[in-house]
């Protein structure tokens, strides 16, 4: 009993440590002056801590504009991704031909394993041929293409958990496929959909390589690539950047807290015997 | 006024044939009960009629129109599923309103119809609740309400009473019969409970392994079963099936010359037991078990190597029925049914040259 409890405690403690260490490091760094960082990167001394970095970065650097760019690109991509993946996943669920269905899901599944970096060069070539360099559209197209297979696959897995009789009941009640999707599948799977939406959103928000290559105009740059640009422009110490990075997380955390309540909701309780 | 006709419906799932050459034409607004053991294809039949599965071959007609190719939402057919299948994300009100709201009825009309149905089924006080907060019986009434809110041509019910306790089952059974009398629709009611079938049906379809065994009124199916399967499936306690030689040596012999190709069926209520005659005749059987079934007693009697069941009405039952007691078995010869052992088919008595 005691040993079991100790093991549980240790596991929880270690995972907390793993999760909190980078965050702690970022916060400490962001609160330090450059000199203090050079002196001792990990040291904590309360009197040298200040919010200077945060103030400086919002003053000297067009933070809000860059964040707006990122938000625009990410939100537009998410809308397109979900407009396509939700109906596609539902269609896959209802596909009677098992061979085709498995073939399509395996394709989606295997796309999840292609590293982003591999595709960068061909993508860059394609976009420059289309004349879309320095155009948000190029990043949106690639974001959509990269995220779709994974989203379709995950949503397909979740949608197939909805008992078929519920959908069949709706069909014989006179609902069209679109009505089944809108009035049953989406509300029932609200939680999973939000989780997929949220994780995809985070991945895109923090995406670095693609927007850096495709958007060079200062005016068009997204938040993360420009933050990393600071390291060469201003100094080699990351204090300044860490402050920016922490600030860039704020919208994600806010969105999480708004939707947190709905994320855990998936319940078909009570519909079946 | 509606009429359903099913023509040569066959459904294969891979190699298993769930339904085989099913043909049936209903009367107008008939209450048809499909009865059979688990896995005999009852749900499959309903799915085919509702359009949720495509038949391998055959066709479905409603009011003379061939609807085999129509999607489920294009057919005016309601179905109550074996497990209710309520919409978990909607309140009871929204569940009941769903068939109307997908058809774009206007709000006031929906409200009126929902309230009317809720009143009929006594679920008015749960309208704001989600299905997960309801009891089994309440859920089941919501499922029925959802099916009856638009006036369907055909009403499909898949074992709607199987999850209810005995008293609620009886009450709902009455409600369903009343519902059938009040709306003009063909009812196709599936059950594996033969008591339900006998008590509710205008006509019964007995199904086994996807093949129709008999179609007939409850009386026909009970008194004139067309084969051994129907005879054994319908009726409780079960019919007694005896080889002719046992029959001849324990009952009044019929001139059958101990025909081995035949066996006889006797319903338990047609066997009379005489306990007043305790002489050591080898024609007597021995009581081995007595079960109290309410209005009657099921008395198990050992005759030779066979055990048969006689039901004795409670008012004629007395202390002389005891385990171990010798009894003489008698039967009204008119009520004996003959079957061919090989094929299981019933043999008409007048073809027997008794
Ligand atoms: N989707 C399916 N895939 C493969 N076989 C199926 C499928 N649905 C039903 N079957 C088979 O078809 C046969 C008939 O099934 P069905 O569900 O119609 O039985 P049922 O009479 O409704 O039984 P129960 O009384 O247990 O509900 C069964 O042998 C079943 O295994
Ligand atoms: Mg069934």
């Amino acid at each position: 009993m005691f040993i079991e409890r100790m093991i549980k405690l240790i596991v929880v403690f270690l995972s907390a440590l793993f999760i909190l260490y980078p965050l702690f490091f970022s916060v400490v760094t962001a609160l330090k002056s450059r000199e203090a960082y050079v002196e001792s990167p990990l040291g904590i001394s309360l009197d040298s801590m200040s919010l200077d970095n945060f103030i400086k970065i919002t003053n000297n650097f067009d933070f809000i504009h860059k964040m707006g760019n990122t938000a625009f690109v990410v939100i537009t991509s998410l809308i397109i991704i979900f407009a396509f993946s939700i109906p596609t996943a539902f269609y896959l669920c209802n596909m009677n031909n098992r061979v085709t269905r498995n073939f399509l899901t395996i394709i989606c599944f295997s796309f999840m394993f292609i590293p982003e970096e591999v595709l960068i060069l061909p993508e860059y070539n394609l976009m420059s041929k289309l004349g879309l360099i320095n155009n948000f559209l190029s990043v949106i197209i690639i974001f959509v293409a990269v995220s779709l297979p994974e989203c379709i696959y995950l949503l397909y897995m979740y949608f197939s958990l909805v008992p078929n009789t519920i959908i069949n009941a709706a069909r014989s009640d006179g609902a069209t496929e679109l009505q089944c999707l809108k009035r049953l599948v989406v509300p029932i799977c609200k939680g999973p959909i939000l989780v997929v939406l949220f994780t995809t959103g985070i991945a895109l928000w923090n995406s670095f390589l693609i927007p850096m290559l495709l958007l060079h105009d200062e005016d068009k740059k997204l938040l993360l690539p420009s933050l990393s640009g600071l390291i060469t422009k201003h100094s080699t110490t990351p204090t300044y950047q860490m402050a920016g990075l922490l600030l860039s997380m704020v919208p994600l955390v806010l969105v999480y807290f708004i939707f947190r309540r709905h994320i855990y909701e998936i319940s078909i309780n009570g519909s079946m015997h | 006024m509606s009429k359903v006709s099913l023509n040569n419906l066959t459904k294969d799932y891979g190699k298993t044939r769930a339904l085989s050459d099913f043909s049936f034409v209903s009367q107008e607004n008939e209450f048809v009960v499909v009865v059979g053991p688990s896995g005999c294809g009852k749900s499959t039949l309903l799915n085919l009629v509702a359009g949720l599965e495509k038949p391998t071959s055959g066709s479905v007609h409603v009011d003379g129109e061939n609807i085999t190719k129509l999607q489920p939402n294009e057919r005016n057919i309601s179905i109550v599923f074996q497990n209710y299948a309520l919409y978990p994300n909607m309140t009871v009100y929204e569940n009941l309103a769903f068939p109307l709201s997908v058809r774009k009825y206007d709000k006031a009309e929906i409200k009126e119809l929902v309230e009317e149905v809720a009143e009929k089924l006594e679920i008015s006080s749960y309208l704001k609740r989600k299905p997960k907060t309801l009891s089994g019986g309440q859920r089941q009434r919501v499922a029925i309400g959802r099916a009856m809110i638009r006036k369907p041509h055909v009403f499909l019910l898949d074992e709607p009473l199987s999850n209810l306790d005995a008293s609620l089952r009886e009450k709902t059974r009455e409600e369903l019969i009343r519902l059938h009398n009040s709306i003009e629709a063909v009812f196709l009611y599936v059950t594996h409970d033969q008591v339900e079938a006998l008590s509710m049906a205008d006509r019964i379809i007995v199904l086994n392994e996807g093949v129709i065994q008999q179609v007939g009124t409850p009386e026909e199916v009970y008194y004139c079963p067309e084969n051994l399967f129907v005879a054994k499936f319908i009726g409780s306690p079960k019919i007694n099936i005896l080889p002719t030689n046992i029959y001849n040596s324990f009952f009044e012999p019929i001139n059958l010359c101990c025909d081995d190709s035949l066996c006889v069926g006797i319903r338990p209520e047609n066997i009379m037991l005489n306990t007043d005659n305790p002489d050591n005749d080898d024609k007597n059987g021995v009581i081995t078990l007595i079960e109290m079934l309410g209005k009657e007693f099921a008395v198990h009697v050992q005759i030779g190597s066979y055990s048969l069941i006689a039901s004795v009405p409670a008012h004629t039952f007395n202390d002389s029925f005891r385990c171990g007691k010798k009894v003489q078995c008698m039967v009204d010869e008119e009520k004996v049914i003959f079957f061919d052992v090989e094929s299981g088919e019933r043999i008409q008595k007048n073809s027997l040259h008794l």
Side-chain angles (χ1 to χ4, degrees), chain A residues 26-174:
Chain A
S26 323
V27 173
V28 169
T29 311
L31 291 171
K32 267 183 203 167
S33 66
R34 211 185 306 164
E35 294 73 27
Y37 179 84
V38 173
E39 215 168 89
S40 127
L42 283 174
I44 310 169
S45 67
L46 283 176
D47 24 297
S48 71
M49 298 236 164
S50 71
L51 289 175
D52 276 0
N53 287 323
F54 290 93
I55 295 161
K56 241 197 293 179
I57 196 151
T58 35
N59 286 345
N60 300 355
F61 176 73
D62 200 355
F63 202 85
I64 300 298
H65 180 76
K66 300 269 154 65
M67 196 181 265
N69 284 351
T70 307
F72 172 75
V73 169
V74 169
I75 291 171
T76 317
S77 306
L78 284 180
I79 291 172
I80 299 173
I81 289 166
F82 277 75
F84 280 96
S85 60
I86 290 178
T88 311
F90 184 56
Y91 180 69
L92 274 179
C93 276
N94 291 302
M95 207 159 194
N96 286 321
N97 189 330
R98 205 178 301 161
V99 181
T100 328
R101 186 178 60 199
N102 289 347
F103 177 71
L104 289 174
T105 44
I106 286 170
I107 287 183
C108 285
F109 189 61
S110 45
F111 263 101
M112 290 163 63
F113 296 110
I114 298 179
E116 206 176 288
E117 292 77 8
V118 177
L119 294 173
I120 284 218
L121 225 58
E123 275 165 355
Y124 184 84
N125 283 336
L126 179 70
M127 290 305 159
S128 67
K129 283 223 178 75
L130 291 174
L132 290 176
I133 304 290
N134 272 330
N135 187 330
F136 287 145
L137 198 57
S138 62
V139 178
I140 291 172
I141 290 173
I142 292 176
F143 275 2
V144 171
V146 168
S147 317
L148 256 186
E150 189 174 337
C151 288
I152 291 174
Y153 182 76
L154 290 174
L155 290 178
Y156 162 70
M157 299 298 277
Y158 285 121
F159 288 0
S160 44
L161 295 179
V162 179
N164 220 352
T165 21
I166 295 184
I167 311 297
N168 275 344
R171 288 184 181 124
S172 44
D173 273 345

Side-chain angles (χ1 to χ4, degrees), chain A residues 165-177 179-180 183-184 187-188 267-273, chain B residues 52 72-73 77 79 81 83-90 98-99 101-104 131-132 139 146 150 163:
Chain A
T165 21
I166 295 184
I167 311 297
N168 275 344
R171 288 184 181 124
S172 44
D173 273 345
T176 60
E177 294 301 294
Q179 283 170 323
C180 290
R183 304 208 33 201
L184 284 168
I188 290 173
S267 162
I268 50 157
N269 233 347
S271 94
M272 317 278 279
H273 175 70
Chain B
L52 301 170
N73 60 345
I77 292 179
I79 178 163
F81 286 89
N83 48 22
Y84 312 153
L86 299 181
Y87 308 132
N89 55 317
M90 302 182 194
F98 189 83
S101 63
V102 295
R103 289 185 171 75
K104 309 264 185 287
K132 71 175 168 213
R139 283 177 203 174
R146 193 177 64 187
R150 68 201 154 97
N163 299 323

Side-chain angles (χ1 to χ4, degrees), chain B residues 38-39 41-44 82 158-159 190:
Chain B
S38 188
K42 304 182 296 285
S43 299
T44 306
Q82 204 162 356
D158 198 347
E159 310 207 15
V190 156

Side-chain angles (χ1 to χ4, degrees), chain B residues 154-274:
Chain B
V154 185
F155 217 108
L156 307 174
L157 300 118
D158 198 347
E159 310 207 15
L161 309 185
S162 58
N163 299 323
L164 304 184
D165 66 51
S167 70
L168 199 53
R169 188 178 310 178
E170 204 144 299
K171 185 158 169 278
T172 320
R173 203 151 76 190
E174 282 171 33
E175 269 169 15
L176 282 175
I177 294 172
R178 212 170 299 133
L179 170 66
H180 172 244
N181 294 335
S182 71
I183 63 179
E184 302 201 321
V186 174
F187 275 50
L188 214 51
Y189 182 102
V190 156
T191 178
H192 61 249
D193 181 350
Q194 47 92 26
V195 179
E196 234 166 82
L198 290 172
S199 65
M200 299 176 87
D202 291 331
R203 265 199 299 171
I204 294 176
I205 302 175
V206 185
L207 199 60
N208 187 33
E209 294 182 345
V211 182
I212 294 185
Q213 304 295 314
Q214 182 168 3
V215 179
T217 62
E219 292 82 9
E220 283 166 350
V221 171
Y222 188 79
Y223 293 111
C224 308
E226 266 167 26
N227 57 37
L228 274 174
F229 177 83
V230 178
K232 286 181 186 164
F233 194 79
I234 303 288
S236 164
K238 254 191 181 165
I239 194 168
N240 299 292
I241 304 290
L242 302 170
T244 45
N245 60 338
I246 295 277
Y247 178 82
N248 279 342
S249 49
F250 284 90
F251 291 87
E252 297 302 308
I254 319 170
N255 239 347
L256 288 177
C257 322
C258 286
D259 191 340
D260 280 346
S261 69
L262 291 182
C263 58
V264 298
I266 314 169
R267 293 270 175 213
E269 66 271 25
N270 294 331
I271 296 178
M272 281 149 299
L273 298 178
N274 186 356

